[in-house]
Amino acid sequence: MISDAPARQQTSDTAESAAAPSRLSRYARPVLGLLLPVTLALGWELVVWSGWSNGRLVPPPSRIFATITELARSGELVRHITATLWRVSLGFAFGVVAGTLLGAISGYWSLARRLLDPTVQALRAIPSLAWVPLFILWLGIFETSKIALIAVGVFFPVYLGVMGAILSVDRKIVEVGRTFRLSGFAMIRRILLPAVLPAYVVSLRVGLGLGWMFVVAAELIGASEGLGYLLLDGQQLGKPAQILAAIVIFAILGKLTDWLIEIASAPFLRWQDAFSRAKGA
Amino acid sequence: MLALDRVSKTYPNGVEALARFSAEIRQGEIIAIIGGSGCGKSTLLRAIAGLDRASSGTVTLDSEAIASPHAKIGIIFQEPRLLPWLSVADNIGFGLADLPATERRAKVARALERVGLADKAQAWPRELSGGQAQRVAIARALVPQPEVLLLDEPFSALDAFTRRDLQDHLLDLWADTRPTLILVTHDVDEAVVLADRVLVMRPRPGRLFDHIEINLGRPRDRNSPLFETFKRSVLTSLDRSLDRNVPDRDATQGPGQAMWW
Ligand SMILES: Nc1ncnc2c1ncn2[C@@H]1O[C@H](COP(=O)(O)OP(=O)(O)O)[C@@H](O)[C@H]1O
Ligand SMILES: [Mg+2]
């Protein structure tokens, strides 16, 4: 069923229009990507259903799904998701603001870079989880220390991304701005910002990924709610289906928030999009 | 009138890229600057554009000293240097930000028409061929109507056919408002097709070696015997400029200068 859908499309498309290859790839690629996980899931479901394995340690998809619906019905799921989303959002926001500001300052003023960057790079060399005990001592074991940890995780890729992007702005294009006598502010708005944007979006996405990673760490360390707490609870009570349910929800939320950044930035990056489409075709 | 008075440039690393370059260029004149690589042609153009400051000497346009980019002076580089995030039309209108939108749009539309890219107005720069992109760069530089347009080997990255096409096109556009053109090239053909006067430079340090008036009417026939004669005299001068045994003419100093202009 899955594999013959693109095939059918191909035959009808080539008959109709010359745009066939691009349309084919637009629909066929996600379908092709789904093929492996869906096959594995269905296969495992079948193995457990037919009794070859009891699926106690590796529960089949149906049991994971049942766990999720059960959590949803009791209202637990919303509570855990809200707690985790809240922590990620706040940590991400703080990390992005700090990373963008310091990254922009270091990228724009070489004196600030010489003052600031060595310290930031030294701090970056510390594995971020090493901060946990200190944060707990300083900020308590409740929300503040968790959000601080997430913000630290988000900060570094954003800082590096912004600084690197500003430093690598094509000098030749800056010169075009100079020949049109752009003032400092106009130069930033009309040349630097658009030039930096693609790399900035990438660094936001990397930062968000790290934010999700660190929220798990933060919630594993001590929390009474959140998806990370669900993981820990599942481990301590021997409920693998609950662990896998939390993992699936992490995956969905991670993908969804990443997609939000992509969608929000797409209108500003259309000029790049045209390029990658042309290359892909 | 654009006056260059003993313009010199020594880079911080000690390279003497330009030494006492003097010339006076009438409004509307087309000058070609030719010379071996590394003889300071780009350095000279950047000093005139106000992108780099001369170490000594002055550049004056209509008795105004030029030390930073000036509204009356435009420049076109070897690469088109279009802003990839702006459409072709917005690239052409880049220097018109101070105008009201309707006026800007009208000027851009006329320029697009003039360079034959009206159908590409909404295209991205990445979708253009090299020749088209360079035409957009020419339109962008010309649309604010500069008095002086500097061109640093603008066609050297293009194939021979496109290059000829753009040379004719440039002349055509030049005829609209007759700005002063100063064109750096290493193509003798290009120099003789376009220029009223060819300045030959020699390296180490970069300096003026010779100037040759091209007394040919326009349009010029690339196959006429007279065209060949001028080409040969430019080539001869270029060869002599590269020969270390040939002493400098008194081109940059002395009373002889007055007779040349
Ligand atoms: N930014 C720079 N710093 C140091 N030396 C330079 C710089 N730009 C050019 N030069 C040197 O100055 C000389 C003239 O360069 P340039 O004006 O680019 O020559 P051309 O355009 O005639 O090839 C060369 O020897 C070159 O190496
Ligand atoms: Mg050069």
Side-chain angles (χ1 to χ4, degrees):
Chain A
M1 281 292 266
I2 291 162
S3 63
D4 89 13
R8 223 181 321 122
Q9 186 160 8
Q10 187 178 31
T11 45
S12 66
D13 266 9
T14 37
E16 277 166 24
S17 70
S22 71
R23 250 213 284 168
L24 168 73
S25 59
R26 200 183 311 158
Y27 296 120
R29 268 192 210 142
V31 173
L32 277 180
L34 281 176
L35 203 60
L36 183 65
V38 168
T39 311
L40 284 177
L42 287 180
W44 187 241
E45 188 73 49
L46 213 66
V47 167
V48 177
W49 178 76
S50 61
W52 286 339
S53 161
N54 62 16
R56 215 162 42 83
L57 280 178
V58 187
S62 63
R63 217 176 293 164
I64 298 170
F65 186 71
T67 309
I68 293 177
T69 44
E70 197 181 304
L71 282 167
R73 205 172 315 121
S74 66
E76 288 282 281
L77 190 63
V78 174
R79 188 167 68 90
H80 293 304
I81 287 181
T82 315
T84 297
L85 265 182
W86 175 244
R87 287 169 188 145
V88 172
S89 311
L90 272 186
F92 183 67
F94 284 125
V96 165
V97 169
T100 306
L101 275 179
L102 291 185
I105 291 171
S106 293
Y108 200 80
W109 286 290
S110 52
L111 179 64
R113 180 165 61 253
R114 278 185 215 120
L115 277 173
L116 199 65
D117 195 52
T119 310
V120 176
Q121 298 294 351
L123 289 176
R124 192 171 74 96
I126 300 168
S128 302
L129 290 180
W131 292 110
V132 169
L134 202 57
F135 282 175
I136 291 179
L137 274 185
W138 284 348
L139 306 167
I141 58 164
F142 299 110
E143 295 305 306
T144 321
S145 60
K146 294 188 179 63
I147 289 164
L149 182 64
I150 296 166
V152 165
V154 173
F155 170 82
F156 288 107
V158 174
Y159 169 86
L160 286 179
V162 171
M163 185 181 74
I166 293 178
L167 287 179
S168 62
V169 169
D170 190 355
R171 193 190 53 80
K172 291 180 169 175
I173 280 195
V174 175
E175 219 160 58
V176 171
R178 285 184 61 207
T179 62
F180 286 105
R181 297 175 325 289
L182 296 189
S183 64
F185 179 71
M187 183 72 97
I188 290 175
R189 186 174 61 82
R190 299 183 68 193
I191 304 272
L192 290 182
L193 276 186
V196 157
L197 196 63
Y200 186 51
V201 170
V202 170
S203 73
L204 287 185
R205 293 172 71 172
V206 174
L208 184 66
L210 281 171
W212 280 108
M213 202 164 110
F214 280 87
V215 81
V216 177
E219 292 180 342
L220 281 178
I221 285 157
S224 52
E225 54 181 5
L227 292 169
Y229 165 80
L230 270 189
L231 290 174
L232 196 62
D233 187 61
Q235 180 218 318
Q236 286 167 348
L237 301 182
K239 294 190 283 191
Q242 182 178 317
I243 298 178
L244 282 166
I247 287 176
V248 167
I249 293 169
F250 266 127
I252 293 172
L253 288 179
K255 184 72 197 163
L256 213 65
T257 46
D258 182 64
W259 180 72
L260 279 181
I261 295 184
E262 202 185 330
I263 294 291
S265 60
F268 304 103
L269 297 180
R270 271 188 312 135
W271 55 278
Q272 261 206 332
D273 190 41
F275 179 55
S276 54
R277 252 210 321 268
K279 230 175 35 174
Chain B
M1 166 121 97
L2 180 69
L4 311 176
D5 184 22
R6 287 161 292 174
V7 178
S8 310
K9 176 77 182 181
T10 305
Y11 282 106
N13 62 2
V15 175
E16 198 179 1
L18 198 62
R20 299 171 67 81
F21 190 105
S22 295
E24 294 192 338
I25 297 161
R26 291 184 305 276
Q27 181 58 37
E29 203 177 357
I30 303 182
I31 300 284
I33 297 179
I34 201 164
S37 144
C39 65
K41 305 183 295 292
S42 297
T43 303
L44 175 67
L45 231 55
R46 295 176 60 84
I48 302 174
L51 286 171
D52 287 335
R53 292 195 70 150
S55 314
S56 68
T58 54
V59 178
T60 22
L61 175 62
D62 304 334
S63 67
E64 191 181 343
I66 303 295
S68 59
H70 193 285
K72 288 182 183 170
I73 302 177
I75 185 164
I76 293 169
F77 302 95
Q78 183 174 352
E79 331 78 35
R81 301 197 186 182
L82 303 182
L83 306 177
W85 53 83
L86 295 181
S87 68
V88 166
D90 288 342
N91 262 290
I92 293 179
F94 190 79
L96 303 177
D98 297 337
L99 293 184
T102 44
E103 199 177 327
R104 184 172 61 233
R105 265 197 296 274
K107 284 198 175 204
V108 169
R110 217 174 315 133
L112 275 165
E113 202 70 55
R114 205 66 191 77
V115 293
L117 290 171
D119 56 325
K120 297 279 186 199
Q122 293 315 315
W124 299 114
R126 289 191 148 131
E127 298 163 343
L128 302 179
S129 70
Q132 289 171 333
Q134 198 58 303
R135 271 192 278 168
V136 174
I138 293 174
R140 176 177 67 184
L142 278 175
V143 96
Q145 300 194 339
E147 277 181 26
V148 178
L149 183 62
L150 311 169
L151 303 99
D152 193 353
E153 307 195 13
F155 308 136
S156 61
L158 304 172
D159 63 89
F161 181 77
T162 312
R163 195 183 310 160
R164 275 189 175 207
D165 184 44
L166 280 187
Q167 287 161 0
D168 296 343
H169 205 86
L170 178 68
L171 272 184
D172 204 29
L173 293 170
W174 168 80
D176 287 351
T177 55
R178 299 201 168 233
T180 306
L181 294 189
I182 303 179
L183 169 96
V184 166
T185 181
H186 53 232
D187 178 352
V188 175
D189 227 66
E190 182 166 286
V192 178
V193 161
L194 294 175
D196 298 317
R197 193 144 55 105
V198 177
L199 306 187
V200 181
M201 289 180 70
R202 83 189 310 192
R204 277 176 302 271
R207 59 205 190 273
L208 186 58
F209 173 70
D210 196 5
H211 20 145
I212 300 156
E213 302 258 0
I214 310 292
N215 292 313
L216 278 172
R218 299 177 201 279
R220 291 178 181 168
D221 177 2
R222 291 170 208 254
N223 301 316
S224 75
L226 207 51
F227 189 90
E228 279 303 318
T229 315
F230 278 110
K231 252 175 80 174
R232 212 166 314 123
S233 68
V234 172
L235 267 174
T236 311
S237 174
L238 200 55
D239 282 343
R240 287 168 54 84
S241 81
L242 296 173
D243 183 349
R244 285 159 199 272
N245 298 323
V246 177
D248 276 7
R249 298 191 190 181
D250 248 350
T252 50
Q253 296 137 330
Q257 186 183 4
M259 282 155 58
W260 273 104
W261 308 116

